[in-house]
Amino acid sequence: MIERIRRMLVKEFLQALRDYRMRSTIFLLPLIQVLVFGYAVTTDVKHVALAVYDLDNTVASRDLISRFAGSGYFEIVNYVYDDAAARSLLDHGSVRLVLRINAGFQADLAAGRVAQVQALLDGSDSNTAGIVLNYSNEIVGQANFDALVDRVTRVLGTFQRPGQADLQTRAWFNENLESRNFFVPGVIALIVTLITLMLTSIAVVREYEIGTIEQIMVTPIRPIEFILGKTVPFALIGFADVLLITAVGVYWFEVPIRGSIPLLLLATGLYLLTSLGVGLLISTISRTQQQALMTSFLFFAPAILLSGFVFPIANMPPVVQWLTYLNPLRYFLVIIRGIFLKGVGLQILWPQMVALTIIGVLTFTLAVRRFHKTLT
Amino acid sequence: MKLVRLRAIARKEFLHVFRDRLSLAIAVALPLILIIIFGFALSFDVKHVPLVVWDQSETQLSRELISQFTGSPYFRLVDYARNYPELERAVDSGQALLALVISRDFAAHLESGRPAAVQLIADGGDSNTATIALGYANAVARGFSQQIAVQQVQQQRGLTLQPPIDLRPRVWFNADLESRNYIIPGLIAVIMMVIAAILTSLTIAREWERGTMEQLIATPVRGIELVLGKLIPYFVVGMFDVLLAVLMTELVFQVPLRGNILLLFGTAAVFLSGALSIGMLISILTRNQLLATQLAMVLTFLPADLLSGFLSPIENMPRAIQLVTYFVPARYFVTLLRSIYLKGVGVNVLAWEAATLLTFCSLTVAVALLCFRKKLA
C-alpha cells in the first residue's frame, strides 16, 4: 500500500510540476497576490484632492483654507470661481471635495453671526466620502473652537480659556494603521483555498476528461490511495505557499509576525482538510475541467467574501453573520491575523481551532465517502 | 471569411455551451449570487463599533463624555473595565474594537481650563474600520469640547453662544453615502471578467487537450472564423449576465441609473468583447486547461477585482501601481459604470475612458487572431 501511494504521489507531482509554466504559476500566483494586496489594496485615505471655491477671499476665509491645506489630509489641486467649474471637477472625478466659502464669511464671523461654509462632496465612493467628511468636520471643529475663544475674548476682554478634551489615540497591533498589515496575512487564506480547491478538483476531473481514469481503475490501486495521491501533493504545495507568503510578508512588507509559526502551520493543516475535502466533493459532481473550475469558483467567491477577508463581518446583517459561522475561512482568518498581529496563542484561539477541526473532519469524511461511491 | 463557416462554428459552440447544463447554470447564477452578497451583506459602513470604557474620573463631566459616545450611532458600549488587564482582555479577544480611558484628573483639568487627557485605544488590525472609528471619536471629542467651552462661557458671563462656522456638507451623486451604490455598479465589470476568465479561457485549450483541434484544422475553417465563432456564444451569455445584473441593480437594490442606458450597454459590449478575447488569447497560448485557468485568474479576475478601483480607490495606491492600472481595462470600465450610474454624465465627460476601452478591445481581438494564426502555422 505504501508503495502504491508513493507511486501515485510521484505521478501527481510529476503531472503538477512537469510543465515549467505550471511550476511557475503555482508559485507566481501567490507572489503576485501578495504584492497586489500589499501595495494596491490600501484603504488609507490621504492627500484627498480638494478644490477651493472662495467667494469671500478675506483673511478669515484664507485662514480656514490654510487649515485644510495644512492638515495633511487634503491637497488643494484647484481653485474655482463659479458653480459650473466646481460641477465639472466633481463630474470628472478630479476632486473629491469642493470647499465653498460664501461672500460675507468674514463679515459674519466679525458680527457674531453664523458663517456658512459648504462642503460639496463626491459621494460616489461612499467609504472615502465618509472619511473626508470626518476630516472636514474635525478641521472646522477646531476652527470653531478657536473662533469661539477669539470672539469671547474680543467681547469680554480677558477670560479664562475653556478646557478641552484632548483625545490621544493609539492603535494596538498595527500602530500606523497600515492596510497591508491587515491584508497581507489574509492572502494566506486566499491562496491556500484557491490553489488546493482548484488543483484538487481539476486533477481528478482531468482523468475523466482525457479518459485515463479507466487505466487507473484497472490498476490494483484502492480508492483511499487514489484520494491520498490526489490530495497530498496539493496539500504540500499549499504549505509551501504559506511559507512563501509569510516570508514575503515579513521580509518584504515588514508585516510583524508576533505569534508562533508552528501554530500557523497546524491551523493550515486543519483548514486544508476542509478545502481539499471540498475540492474532492466538487470533483464528484463535475465531469469536465470547466465544470470543476466553475463549481470551485461558485464555492470560492462567497466563501472569501463572507469571511471577513476584506469586508468586516461585524458590518454584515445579523442573519449573514450567523451564516458565516459555517464558513471555515472565517476561523482560519481570525487565527492567521491573531498569530500575525496580536501574537496570541492557543489560549485565545482554541475556539477557532476546534471549529476548524470539526468542519474539516466532517467535510473530508463526507468527501471520501462520496468519492468512494463515484469511483466504484 | 465566410459567413456560413462562421455560423457553423458559432452553432457548434452554442451547442457546447447549452448542452453543459451545470456550467451554464453557474454562468447565470454566479453573477446573481455575487450581486446579492455585495448588495445585502457587504459594506464598508462603520456603525456600532464595540467600545469598552475605563472611567477613572467617575465625575459628571466624564459621564457626559461617555454618553456622547453612546448616544452616537457609531459606537456601542459593550462593557466597563475597572483596570488595565480587563481593558486589555476586551481588546485582545476582539470583544471591543475601541477602548476609551478617561484619566483621574479629567474633570479637574477641564474646569481649570487645561487640556484633559482622554486615551483612545483602537484595535488597528482592521486598519480601515479603525481609521473611520477614530475619525468618529475625534468628532465626538471635538463636539464635547465645544459644548464644554460654550457652557463655561455661559456660566462665567451669562452669554449664549453658537458655533461660529457652520459646515454644511452637500453630498453629490450618492446623497446617503450608501456603499452599495458605490460597489454594485463596479461589480458589473468584475462579473464580466469572471465570465471571460472561467468560460472562454478554456474553450480552445479544451480542443487541444481532447485532440479535437486537429479535426477542426482539417476542415476548411479559417482562424478568424474559428475565433469569432467561438466568441459569439460567450458574448451572448455575457450580455445576458449584464442584463440580469442591470435589472437586479435597478429592481432589487434601487441603485439610481442616472445616465444613458444605451451608453451603458454599448460600453458593456465593448468591454465584454475585449475581456472575452483576453480569455481566448490565454486559451490559445497555453493549450492546457489547468494552466489557462490559473493564468486567467492572474490576468483577468485579479486585476479587475483589485487594480480597477473597484474595491479601493486608485489614487490611494503607490505611484508605480497607479501606472500599472492604466493597463487594466477594467479600470476604465469601472469609471464608466460609476459615472453613468451615479453621476449621469455622458460621452462628453467620458470620452477618454470610452476611447481607451475601444482601443483596448480592438487590440486584444486583433492580437488573439494573430496569435491563433501563428500557433496554427
Side-chain angles (χ1 to χ4, degrees):
Chain A
M1 171 163 174
I2 302 286
E3 178 58 19
R4 285 195 299 260
I5 294 179
R6 205 181 61 81
R7 298 263 160 134
M8 186 73 196
L9 286 183
V10 170
K11 160 188 173 298
E12 284 304 317
F13 263 116
L14 278 179
Q15 231 165 18
L17 301 178
R18 190 178 41 193
D19 191 341
Y20 76 95
R21 299 176 303 180
M22 202 57 222
R23 263 195 319 264
S24 40
T25 342
I26 286 176
F27 296 104
L28 265 182
L29 185 71
L31 272 184
I32 295 175
Q33 298 252 24
V34 177
L35 288 178
V36 169
F37 272 99
Y39 281 122
V41 184
T42 147
T43 40
D44 314 340
V45 179
K46 278 173 206 151
H47 309 295
V48 178
L50 165 78
V52 170
Y53 183 7
D54 184 1
L55 293 169
D56 195 44
N57 205 13
T58 53
V59 177
S61 71
R62 281 193 294 270
D63 172 62
L64 184 66
I65 293 164
S66 72
R67 280 173 190 268
F68 272 83
S71 67
Y73 300 137
F74 294 96
E75 209 169 301
I76 300 180
V77 295
N78 231 317
Y79 287 87
V80 291
Y81 301 98
D82 56 73
D83 283 345
R87 164 110 221 170
S88 148
L89 282 177
L90 286 172
D91 268 352
H92 281 91
S94 3
V95 298
R96 295 262 176 193
L97 175 70
V98 177
L99 190 69
R100 179 186 159 143
I101 305 175
N102 288 329
F105 176 75
Q106 180 168 271
D108 281 342
L109 278 185
R113 290 188 296 264
V114 174
Q116 271 192 16
V117 173
Q118 230 177 31
L120 302 175
L121 274 156
D122 177 350
S124 50
D125 175 354
S126 53
N127 188 42
T128 307
I131 297 177
V132 169
L133 199 55
N134 265 341
Y135 290 158
S136 321
N137 275 323
E138 200 182 317
I139 294 167
V140 172
Q142 189 56 49
N144 255 336
F145 186 84
D146 293 346
L148 207 60
V149 172
D150 207 44
R151 182 183 290 177
V152 174
T153 321
R154 214 164 348 103
V155 175
L156 304 172
T158 58
F159 94 112
Q160 188 200 330
R161 225 184 130 82
Q164 251 186 301
D166 177 24
L167 198 66
Q168 300 159 347
T169 55
R170 261 179 53 201
W172 278 1
F173 315 131
N174 182 6
E175 287 69 26
N176 300 322
L177 291 176
E178 296 201 53
S179 301
R180 69 174 57 144
N181 288 352
F182 181 59
F183 287 119
V184 168
V187 175
I188 289 182
L190 184 78
I191 286 296
V192 169
T193 316
L194 198 65
I195 293 269
T196 52
L197 200 63
M198 294 202 173
L199 292 187
T200 313
S201 61
I202 287 182
V204 177
V205 170
R206 188 176 43 207
E207 308 263 6
Y208 284 100
E209 204 177 10
I210 49 182
T212 45
I213 191 78
E214 264 85 43
Q215 295 168 22
I216 290 180
M217 300 275 222
V218 297
T219 66
I221 197 166
R222 297 206 201 108
I224 188 70
E225 293 156 5
F226 182 72
I227 290 172
L228 283 177
K230 285 291 178 191
T231 50
V232 172
F234 307 120
L236 291 180
I237 291 175
F239 277 116
D241 279 336
V242 171
L243 292 177
L244 177 71
I245 299 165
T246 309
V248 176
V250 172
Y251 292 110
W252 183 257
F253 286 113
E254 295 173 351
V255 174
I257 177 155
R258 303 189 170 114
S260 125
I261 294 184
L263 187 64
L264 178 68
L265 291 178
L266 174 66
T268 309
L270 292 178
Y271 176 69
L272 278 174
L273 282 178
T274 313
S275 71
L276 292 171
V278 174
L280 282 180
L281 276 179
I282 290 172
S283 73
T284 61
I285 55 171
S286 320
R287 277 299 161 265
T288 64
Q289 293 184 56
Q290 174 152 32
Q291 288 178 346
L293 171 64
M294 297 188 73
T295 326
S296 302
F297 207 83
L298 195 66
F299 171 83
F300 173 73
I304 281 287
L305 290 174
L306 298 175
S307 67
F309 173 52
V310 174
F311 297 88
I313 291 178
N315 294 356
M316 297 171 191
V319 184
V320 182
Q321 290 196 26
W322 279 105
L323 271 179
T324 63
Y325 283 109
L326 296 174
N327 185 354
L329 264 169
R330 175 200 167 122
Y331 306 107
F332 192 32
L333 275 169
V334 172
I335 295 173
I336 292 174
R337 289 190 175 133
I339 290 176
F340 268 88
L341 298 179
K342 299 192 177 178
V344 289
L346 267 180
Q347 69 276 16
I348 296 231
L349 296 174
W350 65 267
Q352 281 81 16
M353 298 291 264
V354 170
L356 267 191
T357 317
I358 295 173
I359 298 179
V361 169
L362 282 181
T363 323
F364 202 76
T365 332
L366 182 73
V368 170
R369 285 242 175 108
R370 275 216 52 159
F371 201 80
H372 260 283
K373 255 194 217 146
T374 42
L375 216 56
T376 48
Chain B
M1 190 166 91
K2 273 246 170 87
L3 218 55
V4 187
R5 291 196 295 250
L6 179 65
R7 245 191 34 210
I9 290 287
R11 208 177 103 80
K12 154 189 172 312
E13 206 58 31
F14 259 114
L15 283 177
H16 269 300
V17 173
F18 282 96
R19 207 179 37 195
D20 184 352
R21 287 289 151 83
L22 183 66
S23 299
L24 188 65
I26 296 177
V28 175
L30 193 62
L32 292 182
I33 291 175
L34 285 178
I35 288 193
I36 288 173
I37 290 181
F38 271 97
F40 281 122
L42 304 182
S43 147
F44 280 126
D45 309 342
V46 176
K47 272 177 200 156
H48 314 297
V49 179
L51 170 79
V52 57
V53 173
W54 181 17
D55 183 3
Q56 301 171 348
S57 167
E58 294 195 318
T59 51
Q60 201 198 331
L61 278 170
S62 69
R63 280 191 289 272
E64 173 60 28
L65 178 65
I66 296 169
S67 80
Q68 298 245 346
F69 270 93
T70 53
S72 129
Y74 303 118
F75 303 101
R76 182 167 54 91
L77 183 70
V78 288
D79 206 3
Y80 282 99
R82 274 156 306 175
N83 47 44
Y84 194 75
E86 276 189 20
L87 179 139
E88 201 176 16
R89 201 170 318 128
V91 178
D92 264 353
S93 67
Q95 188 201 358
L97 280 185
L98 283 183
L100 186 72
V101 186
I102 304 176
S103 59
R104 197 173 298 282
D105 46 14
F106 177 74
H109 273 234
L110 271 187
E111 274 154 9
S112 62
R114 280 174 293 167
V118 178
Q119 210 185 42
L120 188 69
I121 296 158
D123 176 350
D126 178 353
S127 52
N128 187 45
T129 306
T131 309
I132 297 175
L134 287 180
Y136 291 143
N138 263 318
V140 169
R142 193 81 54 194
F144 174 78
S145 297
Q146 226 177 72
Q147 189 189 326
I148 294 296
V150 170
Q151 271 173 11
Q152 285 186 358
V153 172
Q154 280 171 356
Q155 276 165 11
Q156 281 178 40
R157 309 283 167 157
L159 278 174
T160 40
L161 285 175
Q162 281 175 300
I165 305 172
D166 177 21
L167 184 72
R168 294 261 171 108
R170 262 185 51 204
V171 181
W172 282 5
F173 313 132
N174 181 10
D176 300 323
L177 290 180
E178 291 249 21
S179 72
R180 130 193 331 177
N181 285 351
Y182 169 61
I183 290 175
I184 293 188
L187 186 60
I188 296 178
V190 176
I191 287 173
M192 289 161 75
M193 263 303 181
V194 175
I195 295 296
I198 59 185
L199 282 175
T200 32
S201 70
L202 298 185
T203 161
I204 285 187
R206 188 173 44 212
E207 306 263 7
W208 282 114
E209 230 174 61
R210 291 183 175 170
T212 44
M213 189 48 98
E214 272 79 23
Q215 297 168 18
L216 274 176
I217 294 173
T219 65
V221 132
R222 297 233 193 99
I224 186 163
E225 293 153 1
L226 188 62
V227 171
L228 286 183
K230 273 180 168 291
L231 276 179
I232 290 170
Y234 298 111
F235 184 79
V236 172
V237 175
M239 281 314 274
F240 181 70
D241 281 337
V242 177
L243 182 67
L244 268 184
V246 170
L247 284 177
M248 289 276 289
T249 356
E250 180 75 24
L251 301 175
V252 183
F253 297 109
Q254 278 134 25
V255 177
L257 174 55
R258 303 202 171 99
N260 187 333
I261 192 157
L262 287 179
L263 186 63
L264 177 67
F265 278 98
T267 47
V270 173
F271 178 71
L272 184 61
S273 0
L276 293 176
S277 333
I278 295 186
M280 190 70 81
L281 190 61
I282 292 172
S283 200
I284 291 168
L285 291 178
T286 56
R287 296 191 184 193
N288 172 321
Q289 293 190 67
L290 184 54
L291 188 62
T293 321
Q294 301 292 324
L295 263 184
M297 280 290 173
V298 180
L299 293 180
T300 61
F301 178 60
L302 197 65
D305 215 10
L306 300 173
L307 297 175
S308 65
F310 165 61
L311 278 183
S312 65
I314 292 173
E315 64 204 56
N316 296 349
M317 299 173 187
R319 279 266 174 269
I321 304 266
Q322 287 196 21
L323 286 179
V324 174
T325 64
Y326 283 107
F327 298 96
V328 175
R331 175 202 163 125
Y332 304 100
F333 191 45
V334 167
T335 313
L336 280 167
L337 283 167
R338 285 196 181 130
S339 306
I340 295 173
Y341 261 97
L342 299 175
K343 302 191 176 177
V345 290
V347 185
N348 48 335
V349 172
L350 300 171
W352 154 250
E353 279 83 9
T356 321
L357 203 58
L358 204 63
T359 320
F360 144 75
C361 167
S362 344
L363 266 179
T364 44
V365 175
V367 172
L369 287 174
L370 269 179
C371 280
F372 187 66
R373 206 169 290 167
K374 241 176 102 190
K375 274 268 169 182
L376 277 185

